[in-house]
């Protein structure tokens, strides 16, 4: 709900820019870790027995897939008005 409230006046163009910057930032962040840090189960205790890499692979990709679908739907809604 907070995200929705915050972006009520964000244009489609600005939302797309924000999404692309966020994607670039997360890729750059992932590159700061070694393969051992990303894929060793004991590297970070706070991932609860998983690996940090699994968060980058699973959660980040799911988020960007969701965000792209939302932008496309918004684009479609704007064209029909």
């Amino acid at each position: 709900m907070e995200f929705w409230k915050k972006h009520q006046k964000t244009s489609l163009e600005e939302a797309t820019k924000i999404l692309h910057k966020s994607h670039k930032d997360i890729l750059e962040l992932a590159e700061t870790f070694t393969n051992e840090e990303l894929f060793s189960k004991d590297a970070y205790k706070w991932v609860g027995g998983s690996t940090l890499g699994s968060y980058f692979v699973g959660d980040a990709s799911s988020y960007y897939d969701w965000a792209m679908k939302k932008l496309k739907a918004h684009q479609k809604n704007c064209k029909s008005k």
Side-chain angles (χ1 to χ4, degrees):
M1 186 57 112
E2 289 300 315
F3 182 82
W4 179 82
K5 287 178 187 177
K6 179 180 176 180
H7 290 286
Q8 285 301 292
K9 295 186 181 192
T10 302
S11 69
L12 178 58
E13 182 180 323
E14 184 63 21
T16 302
K17 285 179 186 177
I18 292 168
L19 177 65
H20 287 288
K21 182 180 179 332
S22 172
H23 186 246
K24 180 180 176 277
D25 290 348
I26 199 78
L27 291 176
E28 288 175 359
L29 177 62
E31 290 175 355
T32 67
F33 296 94
T34 65
N35 280 341
E36 187 173 310
E37 290 171 319
L38 287 170
F39 299 108
S40 293
K41 288 191 176 194
D42 297 331
Y44 300 99
K45 298 292 181 205
W46 57 267
V47 296
S50 187
T51 65
L52 182 59
S54 69
Y55 283 88
F56 280 108
V57 171
D59 295 341
S61 64
S62 296
Y63 164 74
Y64 290 107
D65 182 51
W66 168 84
M68 290 301 295
K69 286 177 183 174
K70 291 292 182 185
L71 285 175
K72 286 179 184 177
H74 184 68
Q75 221 171 6
K76 195 181 237 185
N77 286 338
C78 287
K79 286 181 182 177
S80 65
K81 291 182 178 182

